[in-house]
Amino acid sequence: MKTLGIFRHAKSDWNDARLRDFDRPLNKRGRKGAAVMGKHILEHGVGWKRVLASPAVRVTQTIELAGEAAGETPPITWDRRIYLANSAALMDVLREQEGNPASIILIGHNPGLEDLIFDLVPDDGSSPLRDIVEEKFPTAAYAVLQLDIDQWPDIEENCGKLVHLVRPRDLDPTLGPNIED
């Protein structure tokens, strides 16, 4: 059994049209959401053995603020392939992990992260949390999956169960949709 965490970057700023997508920072609500989620992730207590992350600015800032709020930031493996990757590419990144860590948290972007959940968790009506993800996996959302595999190279579609899902608005209503920054 392996544990996979999926953490989407917090809300980014679209105000500077001159910036490349890769270079967009977090906006005010995103900074607050990253901090709230960082504390939750620590309190949830998985104890992530490996952190894999996109090096995009909005992801690096999300991790920095989440780590500050939690009081710790584990070592991070930055992998540019995670930036805007689709589900198949993310599964390839996970399959390549050496050392067989018990848990990995993947920090990146939609639609790839959301699609990864859909590919790993069967659509058989048994997961009300999957139904919530189908509505939307918003910025700074955090999901935990239990994977029925012994080694990361064994990851395949429908091998997972979604056991935990928290969105920023679940912890702080001011971080919900349609709230101005």
Side-chain angles (χ1 to χ4, degrees), residues 143-156:
V144 178
L145 289 76
Q146 292 294 323
L147 306 179
D148 189 16
I149 59 173
D150 293 323
Q151 300 178 62
W152 290 101
D154 299 335
I155 197 168
E156 63 183 2

Side-chain angles (χ1 to χ4, degrees), residues 23-158:
D23 297 323
R24 283 190 293 114
L26 298 181
N27 66 16
K28 183 179 176 183
R29 185 164 53 133
R31 289 188 300 274
K32 183 177 180 183
V36 166
M37 294 307 293
K39 287 177 70 174
H40 173 76
I41 290 169
L42 178 70
E43 291 167 357
H44 185 245
V46 171
W48 300 105
K49 301 300 182 196
R50 184 162 301 157
V51 179
L52 304 175
S54 161
V57 170
R58 59 193 179 273
V59 174
T60 63
Q61 289 181 339
T62 297
I63 293 169
E64 179 182 323
L65 292 164
E68 286 174 6
E72 65 179 62
T73 302
I76 300 160
T77 300
W78 303 103
D79 191 329
R80 192 167 178 98
R81 295 175 300 166
I82 297 170
Y83 173 66
L84 302 183
N86 64 22
S87 176
L90 293 172
M91 275 202 244
D92 286 343
V93 168
L94 291 167
R95 285 184 187 110
E96 293 172 6
Q97 297 308 301
E98 296 179 358
N100 208 27
S103 59
I104 294 175
I105 185 167
L106 185 61
I107 308 170
H109 313 267
N110 259 2
L113 294 179
E114 183 175 287
D115 289 342
L116 182 61
I117 293 170
F118 295 148
D119 287 346
L120 293 174
V121 179
D123 185 14
D124 59 7
S126 66
S127 175
L129 295 178
R130 188 184 193 283
D131 295 340
I132 293 170
V133 174
E134 283 194 29
E135 291 173 26
K136 187 173 185 181
F137 190 66
T139 52
Y142 168 69
V144 178
L145 289 76
Q146 292 294 323
L147 306 179
D148 189 16
I149 59 173
D150 293 323
Q151 300 178 62
W152 290 101
D154 299 335
I155 197 168
E156 63 183 2
E157 289 189 12
N158 297 318

